Amino acid sequence: MMSLFPFSQYKILGQSMSPTLKEGQRVFVNHLAYFFKKPQIGDLIAAKDPRDGKVLIKRISKKEKGKYFLLGDNPAHSTDSRTFGMIGKKDLLCKVFAII
């Protein structure tokens, strides 16, 4: 990750977001996006894995009482909320706004 606050970039590792994101691609994220707008179903986001704090790139698939269910676009190869459960807004780090 390279930080250019309020923007950062992450390199995609693994196949959990295929076909949307391929291994080796980079995504740019906006750390301020959710100060102005609530996270929405379908948003691509960077989130903190509640088990170990690593950053995961996932898609919000469900919102419920201030918690978010995250899924990878390639469920057979994704560690997501099916493994660690729903997460709170504090664990949503930023929104993906560009893929390169």
Side-chain angles (χ1 to χ4, degrees):
M1 178 188 101
M2 183 171 95
S3 182
L4 301 170
F5 191 82
F7 305 107
S8 300
Q9 67 173 309
Y10 292 96
K11 184 176 182 180
I12 302 303
L13 303 174
Q15 301 299 316
S16 72
M17 289 302 294
S18 179
T20 306
L21 302 172
K22 306 250 190 280
E23 186 162 16
Q25 283 185 301
R26 293 188 182 275
V27 294
F28 285 96
V29 297
N30 180 347
H31 293 276
L32 300 177
Y34 295 130
F35 285 108
F36 305 110
K37 177 179 156 180
K38 290 183 179 182
Q40 300 297 312
I41 292 172
D43 284 357
L44 283 175
I45 54 91
K48 187 171 24 169
D49 186 325
R51 300 167 305 160
D52 59 14
K54 290 182 181 176
V55 175
L56 303 171
I57 305 295
K58 301 295 174 194
R59 187 178 303 279
I60 297 173
S61 69
K62 185 171 30 170
K63 293 190 319 185
E64 203 172 274
K65 299 179 184 173
K67 296 222 172 203
Y68 300 89
F69 193 86
L70 308 179
L71 283 177
D73 288 355
N74 185 2
H77 297 284
S78 181
T79 300
D80 49 38
S81 287
R82 295 170 301 155
T83 302
F84 51 75
M86 295 182 90
I87 65 168
K89 188 174 180 207
K90 68 176 178 55
D91 290 321
L92 294 181
L93 302 174
C94 43
K95 181 178 180 181
V96 173
F97 72 89
I99 302 166
I100 57 169

